[in-house]
Amino acid sequence: MRKLTRREMLRLMGLGAAGAVMAGCATPTPEVIRETVEVEKIVETTVEVEKEVVVEKEVMVTAVPEQAPVVDVTITTSGWPVSVITDEAVEANPLDGVTRDAIQAYLDQNPGVKLEQKDVNIWDPEGIMAQVVGGTDVTYLYGPCVGGGWGRGEAVNAFVQGMLAEITPLVFKYGMHELSLPHLWENWSTNSQVDGKYFSYSLNEYAPSAGTLHYRKDLINEKGLKEPEIGWTWDEAVELWRALTDESTGMVGIGAPTWFMAYHLGMHGWDLLTQIPAPSSPWHWERDLTSDPRWVELCEDYHALLHVDKAILSDVAIGGGDEDWQRLFRAEQIAFGRFNYWAMFGGPGTEDSHHAMARNLGKDFSEVFGAVSLPTGDGYQLGSGVDIWGPVCFSPNNDAQTHDKGVGLVHWMFWGEGIAMNKQGLWEASKDPTQVYNAFLYMDGRESHPGVPATPEDAFGEALVQRWKEIGMLPIEPPPDKYYPAEQNPSPSGQAIDDQMNLMVTDPGVTDFAGMLRQGQDDWMAQVGGFASSVSEAQFVVASQNWYAAMDEYLKTHYPEFYENRFKPFYESRVLPVIS
Amino acid sequence: MAQNPPLAVETLEAPQVEVTAPAQELSRRSRLERWLFTIPALLFQLFWGWYPVVVAFYLSFTNSRLMRMPDFVGLENYIRLSYDPLVTKAFRVTFTYAGLSIILTFMIPILVGILLMEMPSGTRRWMMLLWFLPLSGIASTILWRYMYNVRYGLFQNVIRSLGFPEQRFLNDPKMVLFWLIFPGILFYGPGLIYMAALQSIPTSYYEAAEIEGASFWRKIWTISLPRLRPVISMMLTFAIIGGLQEFTWLQIMTGPTGDPGGAARSVVMYIYQPLWSSLRLGDATALAVILFLVIMVITMLFRAVFKEDPDA
């Protein structure tokens, strides 16, 4: 065991004495805090002084635990999730000054810690990947981009390859596991680790699920149509999109990137019912897209919606990102769009936000916009209510102390006193609830902020807030990652299958859907011939038994129609025989 | 009839003159200077040119990971690629794109350059300005993407107003490569290089040809094109290499996966997405090495076949 130095011993004694007095003392005044420094100096130099200090002076020491020892740490950021706010930025937008004060409060309490902003684009997968390797990245990273994409899988891939730092002790040191609502912690915790090692820290704010659609409530009402409800079916969705499509005005029911067809099939259980465990094969998985005629029917239906009814707009030239689609959404060219939660509430001050559109229309936010979960297909709901993870990851090029202070700052700004300071300051400076609530679902369960009399309902309307909360309460599907060991070897992509779906979407002349599915399947199976999993056959079998059993229970409980008609026959005929 | 005496055949042997540069010993200082001037370029080429190539060859035989030491895996990456039908597809797209691109965009600038040279100099300057106007690459790419939009794009509206059937543009897997090459037909900046080469041909050649009664096309065939041969050879080499390496234009116009359905996904795009993006670095490097060898062989064949000498 390491011996304590004299200095450490004295400090501990000082803190101990202070702690004892703290319990009986009133909150220290700022003046008292100023004295703290002096006392600490005395403690460091003479024992006698410490003895004399005893009562009066240690009141001020109550502030000592909040002011960490001086360290020389530079946290670097690209501007997310915290930024260095300049005087010019504050001049342009005085509300930024509030956030700057909250960040500064953290830096004041952590002497020696500096926050620097670097011109690094962490949202550019190829760029940031190279910067991480070259050591020119920043402390805060968005994990999926480091792994080359936008999903959790890419973040895991990056972490497994050592391109994201492990921060397990810090997750527990700062205590988000105690602050989170238990069910949210369980979900976050499962998704944010690999084999017990955590690779990210949460922003507290979370989105219910990426599987949601935004719609123009005003346009639906204008046509006298019924708004969708949670649990609506694919058939109801199709009917509504057809009714909204109007060639005379150029409006289309839904705007969807070309990859939305995979979503459409996913809404009918595509991934679940086309992946077959094959424990004895090197990769352990096979794909079967052709045995079940239901997939051909669904492909034909989607194709007809695109090219006959023209109720779905897809175009390679529009691309797969959200920006162009949001522009069409605002221009009333599409009535539905697949956007994420943040797109709805962000940027109240900017002219390309949902807020600005509502303002320009002279309507309340809740009169213009609605949100709904993805429609159910064959009784199955794709997208759990909560499927949260990360999202703040950390550079492997920083040392442990930088990670500590970096996590500390995120914790301060999103979980700790910083968020309270920031939100209260924003309210006092703007009296605008939309400035305060750019998100209103928090892992720690808070529904408002101290010192802010306004609520999210004031900002966005009760119905809309309630709708998001309901989406957040949809049951959570058992995540495979909780059951299967992390894959260490290169994995095949789904590109071969995606290519065929993309052709179905873009080519109006397609007729041989079965042939295209077969082509996708054959190409994928050919590719898989070159891959071998790092998971042993025995591990895979056990993991599969557990995961499928959990899925069996989950579907039986929540989606019985899908369970009886689709999953159970598949499970019994294709899965159980190979994993039993 | 008096016969002329046979002509004496005389073999004249040219005196063997050994032409040698005056033997000059370079001073120590000169030798040093020579090395000092050479070393920076040599180091640059070594580190930024040859070192990456050598490393790439090595990495293609490893299970390369970005933050860890790679392990040697032999031919595993190459074998995995041999299983992948999308690699074959990407090569097919690449060759088609490069071939079409050379056919459609290579000859036209030469002809336009020649025609421009026939115009009065004032008109020529204006035409050059309009045709070879330098445009920002990314900005024009994005503009073209909007113009190809099947619903709101400029081209579709023009086609509709003329009463022609609607086009699918970038959504048509059979035509996507043509539509991607089409802007290159209209705007081909390197045409300026031909103009410069044409201007360097002495006018006396054309004047002599005109005196002999050569037609316009005859002059092109016998004077302009042969004199342009060295430039054409160089430009064609660049065009072949550039066409086979195409990435940016395809990526921005058709997205990271070369939609529709990979019909516009070149080999470099496949190296990048999904191989590089999913951190399959060994596979990505192996495919890059294969592409390097393919380009090298094609370029060498071309250089062997194409005669650069205008008088050959």
Side-chain angles (χ1 to χ4, degrees):
Chain A
M1 196 174 156
R2 188 174 70 89
K3 281 187 178 174
L4 290 175
T5 61
R6 181 169 170 270
R7 180 191 172 105
E8 286 169 335
M9 175 62 81
L10 291 172
R11 184 172 291 160
L12 279 175
M13 288 167 69
L15 291 174
V21 178
M22 261 172 65
C25 294
T27 309
T29 60
E31 290 74 22
V32 179
I33 290 171
R34 264 201 302 275
E35 287 184 60
T36 305
V37 178
E38 268 188 58
V39 171
E40 201 175 36
K41 278 180 186 166
I42 295 164
V43 169
E44 282 175 5
T45 50
T46 64
V47 176
E48 292 76 18
V49 173
E50 192 198 33
K51 282 177 182 169
E52 285 175 15
V53 167
V54 187
V55 180
E56 283 301 310
K57 300 291 182 184
E58 54 305 71
V59 174
M60 63 344 150
V61 186
T62 52
V64 167
E66 291 183 11
Q67 187 164 47
V70 176
V71 289
D72 185 17
V73 165
T74 302
I75 304 166
T76 50
T77 177
S78 65
W80 178 89
V82 287
S83 58
V84 173
I85 299 168
T86 60
D87 291 341
E88 291 77 28
V90 174
E91 204 172 306
N93 179 14
L95 292 179
D96 281 350
V98 174
T99 308
R100 182 168 70 174
D101 292 344
I103 294 170
Q104 190 57 48
Y106 175 81
L107 299 178
D108 290 345
Q109 290 189 12
N110 290 271
V113 176
K114 291 186 283 295
L115 179 66
E116 280 181 7
Q117 189 152 336
K118 287 168 72 176
D119 189 17
V120 170
N121 183 2
I122 62 166
W123 310 104
D124 169 25
E126 59 272 26
I128 194 62
M129 198 187 284
Q131 286 184 297
V132 170
V133 176
T136 56
D137 56 338
V138 286
T139 304
Y140 298 119
L141 298 169
Y142 184 65
C145 288
V146 179
W150 295 95
R152 178 188 167 276
E154 281 86 1
V156 169
N157 201 4
F159 181 59
V160 167
Q161 299 213 23
M163 294 177 67
L164 296 174
E166 187 201 340
I167 56 160
T168 308
L170 301 174
V171 169
F172 295 96
K173 172 182 173 180
Y174 286 94
M176 64 168 283
H177 61 300
E178 287 167 344
L179 295 170
S180 303
L181 297 176
H183 72 290
L184 296 180
W185 164 254
E186 189 190 340
N187 186 256
W188 185 90
S189 167
T190 303
N191 289 336
S192 302
Q193 56 155 301
V194 175
D195 299 335
K197 295 173 182 169
Y198 288 81
F199 58 84
S200 64
Y201 202 79
S202 174
L203 287 177
N204 196 357
E205 302 164 343
Y206 72 92
S209 165
T212 49
L213 299 175
H214 294 191
Y215 59 85
R216 289 289 302 268
K217 189 175 176 177
D218 54 339
L219 301 178
I220 292 177
N221 290 339
E222 268 173 31
K223 286 191 172 272
L225 300 166
K226 188 173 166 287
E227 273 187 71
E229 298 288 337
I230 291 174
W232 63 323
T233 65
W234 175 256
D235 291 340
E236 288 168 345
V238 168
E239 198 179 319
L240 183 57
W241 295 336
R242 279 187 183 134
L244 284 162
T245 302
D246 186 344
E247 273 198 49
S248 65
T249 61
M251 189 162 78
V252 179
I254 179 169
T258 48
W259 48 258
F260 193 75
M261 185 172 185
Y263 251 52
H264 161 245
L265 294 173
M267 287 173 221
H268 294 79
W270 168 262
D271 287 331
L272 184 62
L273 303 180
T274 59
Q275 296 193 82
I276 321 289
S280 56
S281 72
W283 184 243
H284 299 330
W285 289 102
E286 289 175 353
R287 294 298 292 261
D288 179 0
L289 315 182
T290 53
S291 301
D292 186 346
R294 178 69 177 139
W295 305 125
V296 174
E297 282 172 27
L298 290 169
C299 291
E300 286 171 345
D301 288 351
Y302 195 83
H303 191 259
L305 267 175
L306 275 163
H307 299 294
V308 180
D309 301 323
K310 297 187 188 302
I312 300 179
L313 173 64
S314 280
D315 187 343
V316 170
I318 300 179
D322 274 5
E323 282 174 21
D324 287 347
W325 293 105
Q326 284 187 32
R327 213 166 285 138
L328 293 173
F329 189 57
R330 287 194 288 272
E332 302 187 2
Q333 294 293 302
I334 55 174
F336 275 74
R338 192 224 61 84
F339 310 125
N340 67 34
Y341 168 78
W342 314 103
M344 180 166 268
F345 306 113
T350 57
E351 273 311 302
D352 59 351
S353 63
H354 285 26
H355 294 275
M357 193 173 77
R359 275 200 304 273
N360 295 339
L361 289 169
K363 293 179 180 174
D364 283 344
F365 193 91
S366 57
E367 286 178 76
V368 183
F369 302 109
V372 67
S373 50
L374 293 172
T376 59
D378 296 334
Y380 174 66
Q381 177 73 62
L382 177 71
S384 298
V386 179
D387 185 19
I388 48 177
W389 66 277
V392 188
C393 298
F394 293 82
S395 168
N397 299 307
N398 291 153
D399 58 20
Q401 211 165 35
T402 309
H403 291 150
D404 185 358
K405 296 300 176 186
V407 172
L409 178 55
V410 170
H411 188 85
W412 169 265
M413 287 301 292
F414 295 93
W415 296 81
E417 287 173 51
I419 188 173
M421 283 177 68
N422 193 23
K423 297 297 183 184
Q424 189 175 345
L426 288 171
W427 170 254
E428 283 167 2
S430 70
K431 301 295 180 199
D432 177 0
T434 64
Q435 295 287 354
V436 177
Y437 295 105
N438 56 356
F440 51 79
L441 296 171
Y442 291 96
M443 285 181 68
D444 63 9
R446 71 177 70 198
E447 296 202 337
S448 61
H449 300 287
V452 180
T455 63
E457 285 80 356
D458 295 328
F460 307 112
E462 194 170 343
L464 188 55
V465 171
Q466 189 55 33
R467 171 59 62 86
W468 278 107
K469 287 181 178 173
E470 284 169 17
I471 294 172
M473 284 188 286
L474 285 169
I476 300 171
E477 193 168 298
D481 291 336
K482 190 174 172 180
Y483 301 86
Y484 290 93
E487 181 60 56
Q488 306 288 330
N489 291 346
S491 313
S493 75
Q495 194 62 56
I497 297 168
D498 291 347
D499 277 357
Q500 297 306 316
M501 286 195 200
N502 191 276
L503 287 172
M504 291 181 202
V505 171
T506 51
D507 188 351
V510 168
T511 51
D512 184 14
F513 295 95
M516 293 177 80
L517 288 176
R518 177 165 298 284
Q519 181 72 53
Q521 174 186 300
D522 291 349
D523 285 350
W524 190 86
M525 291 297 286
Q527 285 179 318
V528 160
F531 291 88
S533 173
S534 62
V535 179
S536 72
E537 185 178 340
Q539 283 177 311
F540 180 81
V541 168
V542 172
S544 296
Q545 286 168 346
N546 294 334
W547 182 65
Y548 276 105
M551 282 303 292
D552 186 68
E553 188 60 36
Y554 166 80
L555 293 169
K556 196 190 297 177
T557 309
H558 299 290
Y559 305 111
E561 180 195 341
F562 178 78
Y563 176 78
E564 282 300 328
N565 299 331
R566 303 285 291 146
F567 181 74
K568 192 176 166 194
F570 165 79
Y571 183 43
E572 289 176 351
S573 65
R574 306 298 303 273
V575 178
L576 281 177
V578 291
I579 63 169
S580 295
Chain B
M1 201 170 130
Q3 285 193 342
N4 290 331
L7 287 171
V9 179
E10 219 176 328
T11 308
L12 295 175
E13 282 192 13
Q16 296 285 323
V17 180
E18 213 171 285
V19 182
T20 50
Q24 259 186 349
E25 266 298 303
L26 281 174
S27 67
R28 219 174 135 180
R29 182 191 165 90
S30 299
R31 281 204 305 270
L32 185 68
E33 278 173 356
R34 200 158 62 171
W35 276 109
L36 282 175
F37 279 114
T38 310
I39 282 172
L42 198 69
L43 289 176
F44 188 86
Q45 180 63 21
L46 201 66
F47 285 112
W48 299 102
W50 290 107
Y51 174 72
V53 172
V54 172
V55 171
F57 269 91
Y58 164 69
L59 290 179
S60 72
F61 297 102
T62 69
N63 63 351
S64 176
R65 304 287 177 94
L66 284 175
M67 303 290 279
R68 293 179 188 171
M69 289 303 290
D71 301 318
F72 185 76
V73 295
L75 289 171
E76 192 180 292
N77 299 326
Y78 290 92
I79 292 169
R80 186 156 44 238
L81 291 175
S82 74
Y83 279 102
D84 190 346
L86 300 194
V87 170
T88 320
K89 187 174 168 182
F91 268 107
R92 204 164 48 231
V93 168
T94 304
F95 285 131
T96 311
Y97 179 83
L100 266 180
S101 161
I102 289 166
I103 291 166
L104 294 177
T105 66
F106 197 74
M107 291 312 293
I108 291 174
I110 298 174
L111 292 175
V112 172
I114 290 169
L115 290 174
L116 280 176
M117 290 300 291
E118 295 294 314
M119 292 181 178
S121 59
T123 317
R124 192 194 307 159
R125 274 196 211 101
W126 276 108
M127 291 299 288
M128 281 171 70
L129 183 70
L130 289 174
W131 196 44
F132 301 131
L133 194 69
L135 295 170
S136 154
I138 299 293
S140 66
T141 304
I142 291 169
L143 276 180
W144 276 96
R145 216 179 71 182
Y146 283 122
M147 290 195 283
Y148 278 143
N149 186 302
V150 286
R151 197 175 158 83
Y152 314 102
L154 172 72
F155 291 134
Q156 195 70 293
N157 280 319
V158 171
I159 284 170
R160 274 193 204 122
S161 63
L162 293 174
F164 291 114
E166 288 193 353
Q167 292 296 311
R168 302 286 302 157
F169 298 115
L170 302 181
N171 292 273
D172 185 342
K174 293 185 186 72
M175 290 295 290
V176 64
L177 291 181
F178 170 77
W179 292 118
L180 287 167
I181 290 164
F182 181 63
I185 301 173
L186 301 182
F187 300 97
Y188 192 70
L192 276 174
I193 294 168
Y194 299 120
M195 296 288 291
L198 284 166
Q199 279 171 343
S200 71
I201 301 173
T203 49
S204 57
Y205 286 21
Y206 294 102
E207 286 162 4
E210 277 165 18
I211 291 167
E212 296 291 327
S215 68
F216 171 73
W217 294 110
R218 184 76 185 168
K219 283 189 287 178
I220 290 175
W221 191 250
T222 53
I223 301 172
S224 302
L225 287 178
R227 294 287 134 191
L228 281 178
R229 230 184 249 163
V231 178
I232 290 175
S233 166
M234 181 190 71
M235 297 300 290
L236 207 49
T237 308
F238 286 154
I240 291 168
I241 295 172
L244 294 173
Q245 288 182 329
E246 185 58 64
F247 174 74
T248 314
W249 173 251
L250 300 180
Q251 163 96 359
I252 296 175
M253 292 293 281
T254 65
T257 51
D259 291 336
R265 185 168 55 231
S266 66
V267 175
V268 182
M269 285 175 79
Y270 195 59
I271 288 170
Y272 169 65
Q273 175 101 16
L275 298 187
W276 165 261
S277 291
S278 57
L279 301 180
R280 284 167 56 190
L281 306 186
D283 293 353
T285 320
L287 189 52
V289 166
I290 293 171
L291 181 64
F292 168 79
L293 295 174
V294 167
I295 291 175
M296 196 173 74
V297 168
I298 291 176
T299 310
M300 285 167 67
L301 282 176
F302 168 74
R303 304 284 296 175
V305 169
F306 194 91
K307 300 279 183 291
E308 277 190 23
D309 182 2
D311 301 316

